[in-house]
Amino acid sequence: VQKIATVRFNPFKDTGGNQSFSVALLDGKNNGVVISSFYGREGSRTFAKPIEKGTSKYELLAEEKEAIKKATS
């Protein structure tokens, strides 16, 4: 892992603060993983998506894209 960036956000605009996050962990060729955790009153969920050359075959959230962009710039 050579490039790391974290983006905190609130996916539920009517409750809580910026307790959710996306973190990009990439190597020198922009391969790696983006991990996102959504925190809410009912519980939390965590997802991981593989990243190859700065993108994923899975749909990326705006916050995940932002974390990748921060890590690669």
Side-chain angles (χ1 to χ4, degrees):
V1 175
Q2 297 175 339
K3 304 171 184 181
I4 302 170
T6 302
V7 173
R8 293 177 57 108
F9 61 97
N10 181 6
F12 313 109
K13 301 302 179 198
D14 58 335
T15 62
N18 291 342
Q19 300 300 314
S20 299
F21 67 87
S22 291
V23 60
L25 305 167
L26 306 174
D27 66 10
K29 295 181 180 179
N30 296 332
N31 298 319
V33 65
V34 63
I35 300 169
S36 296
S37 178
F38 298 90
Y39 177 80
R41 289 183 183 169
E42 305 280 324
S44 63
R45 304 278 190 258
T46 304
F47 303 92
K49 297 175 185 173
I51 304 298
E52 294 180 20
K53 298 180 184 174
T55 191
S56 180
K57 65 180 180 179
Y58 300 97
E59 185 175 350
L60 296 171
L61 301 171
E63 294 82 6
E64 293 169 329
K65 291 177 184 177
E66 183 180 350
I68 293 167
K69 183 177 177 180
K70 282 184 170 184
T72 57
S73 55

